[in-house]
Amino acid sequence: MSYRVCLVCMGNICRSPMAEVVLRKALADRGLADRVVVESAGTGGWHEGDPMDERALRILSDHGYDGSMHRARQFTKDWFDRHDLVLAMDLDNLANLRRIAPAGVEVRLFRSFDPAAPANAEVPDPYYGGREGFEEVLALVESAAEGVAKHVADEID
């Protein structure tokens, strides 16, 4: 049986797929790749089926990650039934997820697992900016991914 994690942003073409790729590697580095499924989705569906934003893909590639297989999907209420941990990239998406979450389901911010991050820290949306915004997103998700991987390891051991 696998533990399942879903990372959620707005359109599922920048932040959450970058975090998905980074978290997968962090879990693989801990020897958990065969025990944990990592997925991502967006609260909006306008990019469904699209590949990752080219700028996000380029930043990942420049840092040794491969995001080429990603296709955007939309998070729907039934996804809560098949995921053990749902993490939002920002407060708006956190609120959207909490509105549709069944009673008793906890949804958290992705950066809440980064001990250096302040309370309610978000992964900012780089979509309307340049390369530096995507570099910032990668640095933030790399910092938080280690904490998420540790949490997941503790949950499944």
Side-chain angles (χ1 to χ4, degrees):
M1 188 146 116
S2 296
Y3 188 90
R4 298 179 68 89
V5 179
C6 188
L7 311 171
V8 184
C9 67
M10 189 172 296
N12 193 221
I13 59 168
C14 298
R15 296 172 288 174
S16 60
M18 289 177 77
E20 175 186 350
V21 170
V22 171
L23 180 56
R24 244 190 226 126
K25 181 178 181 323
L27 290 162
D29 290 349
R30 288 178 172 267
L32 299 173
D34 61 336
R35 297 177 63 196
V36 182
V37 175
V38 181
E39 298 180 295
S40 65
T43 55
W46 51 91
H47 290 294
E48 259 187 297
D50 291 347
M52 191 181 306
D53 183 285
E54 182 61 38
R55 298 163 296 175
L57 196 58
R58 190 173 315 115
I59 293 300
L60 286 172
S61 179
D62 289 351
H63 291 271
Y65 298 100
D66 180 10
S68 63
M69 300 305 294
H70 177 76
R71 294 297 175 267
R73 297 181 298 165
Q74 184 175 10
F75 190 97
T76 57
K77 186 175 184 168
D78 64 312
W79 283 43
F80 285 110
D81 295 335
R82 61 181 196 247
H83 290 91
D84 301 292
L85 183 61
V86 177
L87 302 175
M89 295 292 116
D90 61 48
L91 291 168
D92 287 339
N93 286 296
L94 180 66
N96 289 335
L97 290 167
R98 285 182 172 164
R99 261 193 296 281
I100 65 169
V105 171
E106 181 185 16
V107 183
R108 293 179 58 177
L109 285 170
F110 183 76
R111 288 194 64 205
S112 68
F113 290 92
D114 181 350
N120 293 323
E122 301 176 295
V123 177
D125 190 348
Y127 187 77
Y128 294 103
R131 181 180 175 92
E132 55 283 341
F134 288 86
E135 289 280 2
E136 177 187 14
V137 166
L138 179 59
L140 294 173
V141 299
E142 284 179 329
S143 292
E146 288 304 317
V148 175
K150 181 186 180 321
H151 173 80
V152 170
D154 291 346
E155 288 288 306
I156 63 178
D157 284 337

